Amino acid sequence: MTARVLEILLTDRCKSLDLKRKAFETLGTILSDTSSNDEIDLGGFDRTEIKTMFDRFEYQVDKRHSGSVIRTKVGLYVEDTKNVWLDSLEPIGYYELETDFNGEILDDYFVIEKQKYVDDIAIVSHFQNMNKILPLGYLRRNHIQYELVAYISLVGTLFISKQFEGTGRFIKRAYTYLETTDNSRLDQNYLKESKSFLKMMKSYLVRNNLVTEGLKEELQQE
Protein backbone atom coordinates (compact mmCIF):
# COMPACT_ATOMS: atom_id res chain seq x y z
CA MET A 1 0.00 0.00 0.00
CA THR A 2 1.42 3.36 -1.00
CA ALA A 3 1.49 6.40 1.26
CA ARG A 4 -1.04 8.14 -0.98
CA VAL A 5 -3.51 5.25 -0.77
CA LEU A 6 -3.16 5.16 3.01
CA GLU A 7 -3.77 8.91 3.17
CA ILE A 8 -6.95 8.54 1.12
CA LEU A 9 -8.22 5.71 3.33
CA LEU A 10 -7.61 7.68 6.54
CA THR A 11 -9.19 10.84 5.11
CA ASP A 12 -12.25 8.89 3.95
CA ARG A 13 -12.52 7.38 7.44
CA CYS A 14 -12.57 10.83 9.01
CA LYS A 15 -15.20 11.99 6.56
CA SER A 16 -17.40 8.96 7.21
CA LEU A 17 -17.18 9.64 10.96
CA ASP A 18 -18.03 13.33 10.35
CA LEU A 19 -15.21 14.39 12.66
CA LYS A 20 -14.97 17.95 11.37
CA ARG A 21 -18.60 18.60 12.19
CA LYS A 22 -18.23 17.07 15.66
CA ALA A 23 -15.17 19.21 16.38
CA PHE A 24 -16.75 22.46 15.21
CA GLU A 25 -20.01 21.76 17.05
CA THR A 26 -18.21 21.08 20.33
CA LEU A 27 -15.98 24.10 19.88
CA GLY A 28 -19.00 26.24 19.02
CA THR A 29 -20.62 25.23 22.30
CA ILE A 30 -17.50 26.31 24.20
CA LEU A 31 -17.27 29.69 22.48
CA SER A 32 -21.00 30.42 22.66
CA ASP A 33 -21.24 29.82 26.40
CA THR A 34 -21.83 33.37 27.61
CA SER A 35 -22.92 32.43 31.13
CA SER A 36 -19.61 33.69 32.53
CA ASN A 37 -16.43 35.14 31.09
CA ASP A 38 -14.55 33.17 33.73
CA GLU A 39 -15.79 29.84 32.44
CA ILE A 40 -12.96 29.56 29.93
CA ASP A 41 -9.72 31.46 29.54
CA LEU A 42 -9.67 33.22 26.16
CA GLY A 43 -6.38 34.97 26.85
CA GLY A 44 -8.06 38.35 27.05
CA PHE A 45 -9.64 38.03 23.59
CA ASP A 46 -13.33 38.60 23.11
CA ARG A 47 -15.31 35.65 21.73
CA THR A 48 -16.33 37.74 18.73
CA GLU A 49 -12.66 38.32 17.81
CA ILE A 50 -11.81 34.63 17.49
CA LYS A 51 -12.06 32.95 14.10
CA THR A 52 -11.97 29.16 13.76
CA MET A 53 -10.51 27.19 10.84
CA PHE A 54 -9.91 23.50 10.30
CA ASP A 55 -6.19 22.75 10.47
CA ARG A 56 -5.65 19.02 10.12
CA PHE A 57 -6.26 15.43 11.20
CA GLU A 58 -3.58 13.65 13.20
CA TYR A 59 -3.36 9.89 13.70
CA GLN A 60 -1.69 7.97 16.49
CA VAL A 61 -1.59 4.19 16.25
CA ASP A 62 -0.22 1.40 18.39
CA LYS A 63 0.00 3.59 21.50
CA ARG A 64 1.63 1.93 24.47
CA HIS A 65 -1.00 2.70 27.09
CA SER A 66 -4.13 3.21 24.98
CA GLY A 67 -5.68 2.44 21.65
CA SER A 68 -5.24 4.26 18.36
CA VAL A 69 -6.72 7.75 18.14
CA ILE A 70 -7.63 10.42 15.60
CA ARG A 71 -7.11 14.04 16.56
CA THR A 72 -9.16 16.66 14.73
CA LYS A 73 -7.46 20.02 15.13
CA VAL A 74 -9.19 23.38 14.66
CA GLY A 75 -7.06 26.52 14.72
CA LEU A 76 -8.05 29.63 16.67
CA TYR A 77 -7.16 32.91 14.99
CA VAL A 78 -7.64 36.65 15.27
CA GLU A 79 -7.33 39.30 12.60
CA ASP A 80 -3.72 40.20 11.89
CA THR A 81 -3.66 44.00 11.84
CA LYS A 82 0.09 44.07 11.13
CA ASN A 83 -0.15 41.99 7.92
CA VAL A 84 2.49 39.53 9.08
CA TRP A 85 0.61 36.22 9.05
CA LEU A 86 -0.73 34.20 6.13
CA ASP A 87 -4.24 35.22 5.07
CA SER A 88 -4.07 38.04 7.65
CA LEU A 89 -4.95 35.59 10.42
CA GLU A 90 -2.76 35.40 13.51
CA PRO A 91 -2.84 32.05 15.39
CA ILE A 92 -3.60 32.30 19.11
CA GLY A 93 -4.34 28.66 19.96
CA TYR A 94 -6.26 25.59 18.93
CA TYR A 95 -9.06 23.18 19.76
CA GLU A 96 -8.42 19.44 19.49
CA LEU A 97 -11.03 16.67 19.52
CA GLU A 98 -9.67 13.22 20.26
CA THR A 99 -11.64 10.18 19.12
CA ASP A 100 -11.01 6.51 18.49
CA PHE A 101 -11.19 5.07 14.98
CA ASN A 102 -14.92 4.47 15.45
CA GLY A 103 -15.61 8.12 16.13
CA GLU A 104 -16.15 7.71 19.86
CA ILE A 105 -15.07 10.90 21.65
CA LEU A 106 -12.26 10.23 24.13
CA ASP A 107 -11.17 13.71 25.12
CA ASP A 108 -10.84 17.28 23.92
CA TYR A 109 -8.49 20.20 24.54
CA PHE A 110 -9.00 23.95 24.28
CA VAL A 111 -5.64 25.74 24.28
CA ILE A 112 -4.87 29.47 24.16
CA GLU A 113 -1.19 30.05 23.37
CA LYS A 114 -1.16 33.83 23.06
CA GLN A 115 -2.29 36.40 25.61
CA LYS A 116 -3.83 39.60 24.32
CA TYR A 117 -1.93 42.71 25.45
CA VAL A 118 0.61 40.70 27.49
CA ASP A 119 2.31 39.13 24.45
CA ASP A 120 1.72 42.26 22.42
CA ILE A 121 4.05 44.35 24.55
CA ALA A 122 6.69 41.65 25.17
CA ILE A 123 6.86 42.61 28.82
CA VAL A 124 8.98 39.62 29.85
CA SER A 125 11.74 40.77 27.53
CA HIS A 126 11.69 44.23 29.07
CA PHE A 127 11.94 42.75 32.56
CA GLN A 128 14.90 40.62 31.56
CA ASN A 129 16.75 43.62 30.18
CA MET A 130 16.10 45.65 33.32
CA ASN A 131 17.15 42.85 35.66
CA LYS A 132 20.48 42.55 33.87
CA ILE A 133 21.46 46.00 35.15
CA LEU A 134 19.78 45.73 38.56
CA PRO A 135 22.40 45.40 41.36
CA LEU A 136 21.25 42.85 43.94
CA GLY A 137 21.88 45.38 46.70
CA TYR A 138 18.87 47.37 45.51
CA LEU A 139 16.60 44.55 46.70
CA ARG A 140 17.41 45.36 50.33
CA ARG A 141 14.49 47.05 52.03
CA ASN A 142 16.61 49.90 53.42
CA HIS A 143 18.14 50.81 50.07
CA ILE A 144 17.16 54.02 48.26
CA GLN A 145 16.27 52.01 45.15
CA TYR A 146 14.08 49.45 46.92
CA GLU A 147 10.82 51.38 46.66
CA LEU A 148 11.26 52.07 42.94
CA VAL A 149 12.20 48.44 42.25
CA ALA A 150 9.07 47.32 44.12
CA TYR A 151 6.83 49.65 42.09
CA ILE A 152 8.37 48.53 38.79
CA SER A 153 7.93 44.87 39.74
CA LEU A 154 4.27 45.39 40.68
CA VAL A 155 3.60 47.23 37.43
CA GLY A 156 4.83 44.21 35.47
CA THR A 157 3.20 41.60 37.70
CA LEU A 158 -0.21 43.27 37.65
CA PHE A 159 -0.04 43.79 33.89
CA ILE A 160 0.73 40.12 33.27
CA SER A 161 -2.23 39.26 35.55
CA LYS A 162 -4.38 41.63 33.44
CA GLN A 163 -5.06 43.84 36.46
CA PHE A 164 -4.74 46.92 34.30
CA GLU A 165 -6.23 49.45 36.71
CA GLY A 166 -3.80 48.31 39.41
CA THR A 167 -0.99 48.53 36.86
CA GLY A 168 -1.86 52.15 36.19
CA ARG A 169 -2.03 52.96 39.90
CA PHE A 170 1.49 51.68 40.50
CA ILE A 171 2.78 53.51 37.43
CA LYS A 172 1.39 56.65 39.05
CA ARG A 173 3.09 55.78 42.36
CA ALA A 174 6.40 55.20 40.60
CA TYR A 175 6.19 58.62 38.96
CA THR A 176 5.34 60.22 42.31
CA TYR A 177 8.37 58.51 43.85
CA LEU A 178 10.65 59.83 41.11
CA GLU A 179 9.25 63.35 41.49
CA THR A 180 9.87 63.40 45.25
CA THR A 181 13.25 61.65 45.30
CA ASP A 182 16.66 63.05 44.43
CA ASN A 183 17.26 61.20 41.16
CA SER A 184 21.00 61.80 41.36
CA ARG A 185 21.12 59.26 44.20
CA LEU A 186 19.69 56.55 41.97
CA ASP A 187 21.64 54.26 39.68
CA GLN A 188 21.47 56.15 36.38
CA ASN A 189 21.34 53.12 34.09
CA TYR A 190 18.48 51.56 36.01
CA LEU A 191 16.77 54.95 36.28
CA LYS A 192 16.93 55.42 32.51
CA GLU A 193 15.49 51.95 31.85
CA SER A 194 12.80 52.46 34.51
CA LYS A 195 11.62 55.73 32.99
CA SER A 196 11.52 54.16 29.53
CA PHE A 197 9.55 51.18 30.88
CA LEU A 198 7.05 53.39 32.73
CA LYS A 199 6.51 55.56 29.68
CA MET A 200 5.93 52.53 27.48
CA MET A 201 3.46 50.99 29.93
CA LYS A 202 1.62 54.25 30.50
CA SER A 203 1.23 54.88 26.78
CA TYR A 204 0.03 51.34 26.16
CA LEU A 205 -2.65 51.46 28.87
CA VAL A 206 -3.94 54.83 27.69
CA ARG A 207 -3.84 54.00 23.97
CA ASN A 208 -5.78 50.75 24.42
CA ASN A 209 -8.30 52.18 26.91
CA LEU A 210 -7.35 49.62 29.56
CA VAL A 211 -7.90 51.92 32.56
CA THR A 212 -10.74 54.13 33.76
CA GLU A 213 -11.12 57.64 32.38
CA GLY A 214 -10.07 59.19 35.68
CA LEU A 215 -6.83 57.24 35.85
CA LYS A 216 -6.19 57.82 32.16
CA GLU A 217 -6.31 61.57 32.75
CA GLU A 218 -3.88 61.23 35.67
CA LEU A 219 -1.43 59.20 33.60
CA GLN A 220 -1.59 61.60 30.68
CA GLN A 221 -0.45 64.38 33.00
CA GLU A 222 2.79 62.52 33.80
Side-chain angles (χ1 to χ4, degrees):
M1 181 182 297
T2 65
R4 178 57 182 161
V5 171
L6 179 59
E7 180 183 345
I8 293 173
L9 288 174
L10 289 171
T11 301
D12 286 345
R13 183 62 175 171
C14 292
K15 288 181 179 179
S16 68
L17 296 174
D18 212 4
L19 295 184
K20 280 188 187 180
R21 180 189 61 79
K22 289 182 180 179
F24 276 103
E25 281 187 356
T26 309
L27 176 57
T29 300
I30 294 173
L31 294 177
S32 64
D33 182 7
T34 57
S35 60
S36 170
N37 286 330
D38 295 326
E39 288 286 331
I40 184 169
D41 180 15
L42 297 179
F45 295 97
D46 189 88
R47 286 176 169 82
T48 58
E49 293 181 88
I50 299 176
K51 305 179 187 299
T52 60
M53 294 184 64
F54 171 75
D55 274 354
R56 61 181 178 271
F57 293 118
E58 294 180 356
Y59 312 95
Q60 288 194 349
V61 297
D62 198 22
K63 296 180 66 178
R64 181 178 178 186
H65 297 295
S66 61
S68 301
V69 300
I70 301 174
R71 292 196 172 101
T72 306
K73 195 166 186 176
V74 178
L76 306 175
Y77 300 86
V78 293
E79 184 179 353
D80 172 26
T81 57
K82 299 177 181 178
N83 295 319
V84 174
W85 297 89
L86 183 66
D87 298 327
S88 296
L89 291 174
E90 180 180 359
I92 62 167
Y94 62 90
Y95 172 74
E96 193 171 82
L97 182 69
E98 185 176 287
T99 64
D100 62 18
F101 272 63
N102 292 316
E104 188 72 26
I105 297 177
L106 305 174
D107 210 340
D108 67 337
Y109 309 91
F110 183 90
V111 180
I112 294 292
E113 298 174 308
K114 177 180 173 63
Q115 298 291 313
K116 188 175 183 179
Y117 304 126
V118 175
D119 290 343
D120 211 17
I121 205 168
I123 193 171
V124 174
S125 176
H126 289 289
F127 264 136
Q128 289 173 336
N129 292 333
M130 292 177 69
N131 287 337
K132 287 179 182 178
I133 61 173
L134 172 64
L136 292 179
Y138 295 162
L139 299 177
R140 295 172 183 163
R141 297 183 66 179
N142 61 347
H143 198 284
I144 184 66
Q145 284 272 35
Y146 179 80
E147 189 173 349
L148 177 60
V149 172
Y151 289 149
I152 293 294
S153 296
L154 282 166
V155 167
T157 301
L158 290 169
F159 184 84
I160 290 172
S161 302
K162 299 191 181 72
Q163 299 294 326
F164 300 125
E165 189 74 8
T167 302
R169 288 296 169 195
F170 275 98
I171 290 175
K172 178 68 177 174
R173 291 187 186 183
Y175 275 121
T176 300
Y177 171 83
L178 291 173
E179 291 168 1
T180 57
T181 301
D182 182 0
N183 284 193
S184 65
R185 300 176 61 193
L186 304 175
D187 177 84
Q188 294 305 298
N189 286 333
Y190 188 74
L191 176 62
K192 180 180 179 180
E193 289 295 328
S194 297
K195 287 183 175 180
S196 177
F197 177 72
L198 291 171
K199 182 178 180 180
M200 176 190 70
M201 296 299 294
K202 176 191 71 173
S203 299
Y204 194 85
L205 292 177
V206 171
R207 185 171 65 251
N208 289 283
N209 298 311
L210 298 176
V211 293
T212 58
E213 287 299 320
L215 181 54
K216 184 189 294 186
E217 291 179 6
E218 291 182 48
L219 292 173
Q220 287 175 322
Q221 294 172 4
E222 296 294 347

